Amino acid sequence: MKLILLGAPGAGKGTQAEILSNLLSIPTISTGNILRAAMKNGTPVGLQAKAYVESGRLVPDDVIIGIVQERLSEPDCAGGYILDGVPRTIPQAEAMEKLGIDVDTALSIEVEDEVIVKRMSGRRTCKNCSATFHVVNNPPKKEGRCDRCGGELSIRKDDAPETVRARLETYHRETEPLMAFYEARGKLVKVNNRPTIEETTAAIRAALHI
């Protein structure tokens, strides 16, 4: 299965991607992670990206898509993959199509803005390993400490309400149009957010027939 996860920041894409990855035994390709890995490994496209990042400029679409293509050519993607965080815009989606990067389904997790603002304010991230928790939905076993490595949990600046609202505006303007793009290709599947992670997973499984 070749899957794209769509949805606003804080819709739970990362959490559901991890669950689906384990369920289907296919890797999750997160743009941020592969960008960092490509720069660290000094791949040709990674070096290009590094030059932009170090000069404080946005990494252009062709470099982002080049890094995605590089990652998808690795053996673990032969049986399918989950794309999280790419494409973010219609030009990126068109560039992927031109390069023959194929997807079966674009899955959109639907959540209202105010629910996201409330949800993100309860999110806590480990300073050491970047694992995420939530004070209500997914609390750590020990308050303020990461279950995985014992590191200190903190609120990221990205999760502050004013930052979240700004990110949602960008999402509605730049990324939401992708829904019409994939709907026109008969690939869009929408799933409404449920009260718990498990219920949302069950709704996704039903929608994807897995």
Side-chain angles (χ1 to χ4, degrees), residues 88-103:
R88 283 187 189 276
T89 61
I90 286 177
Q92 285 187 358
E94 288 172 341
M96 282 170 53
E97 278 192 347
K98 278 181 190 167
L99 287 171
I101 297 172
D102 192 29
V103 293

Side-chain angles (χ1 to χ4, degrees), residues 124-126 135 140-147 150-154:
R124 301 291 181 270
T125 304
C126 176
V135 291
K141 293 187 179 81
K142 186 178 177 185
E143 191 177 340
R145 289 286 158 191
C146 174
D147 290 355
E152 184 188 344
L153 300 180
S154 65

Side-chain angles (χ1 to χ4, degrees), residues 47-65:
L47 292 172
Q48 271 183 283
K50 195 173 183 182
Y52 283 97
V53 171
E54 287 180 349
S55 62
R57 291 174 295 163
L58 279 176
V59 181
D61 284 354
D62 62 329
V63 177
I64 295 276
I65 303 304

Side-chain angles (χ1 to χ4, degrees), residues 107-181:
L107 176 77
S108 176
I109 303 173
E110 305 281 299
V111 192
E112 290 174 10
D113 284 6
E114 286 312 307
V115 172
I116 285 176
V117 172
K118 192 174 176 184
R119 178 188 287 180
M120 300 278 267
S121 65
R123 193 151 77 168
R124 301 291 181 270
T125 304
C126 176
K127 288 183 175 180
N128 293 346
C129 73
S130 300
T132 56
F133 299 87
H134 192 279
V135 291
V136 178
N137 298 339
N138 182 29
K141 293 187 179 81
K142 186 178 177 185
E143 191 177 340
R145 289 286 158 191
C146 174
D147 290 355
R148 289 187 191 172
C149 72
E152 184 188 344
L153 300 180
S154 65
I155 302 175
R156 296 188 316 166
K157 187 172 176 257
D158 273 4
D159 295 336
E162 60 278 9
T163 312
V164 173
R165 289 186 203 282
R167 290 172 70 200
L168 286 169
E169 275 181 36
T170 304
Y171 167 77
H172 291 307
R173 185 175 65 250
E174 295 180 5
T175 306
E176 203 167 46
L178 283 170
M179 287 167 67
F181 179 90

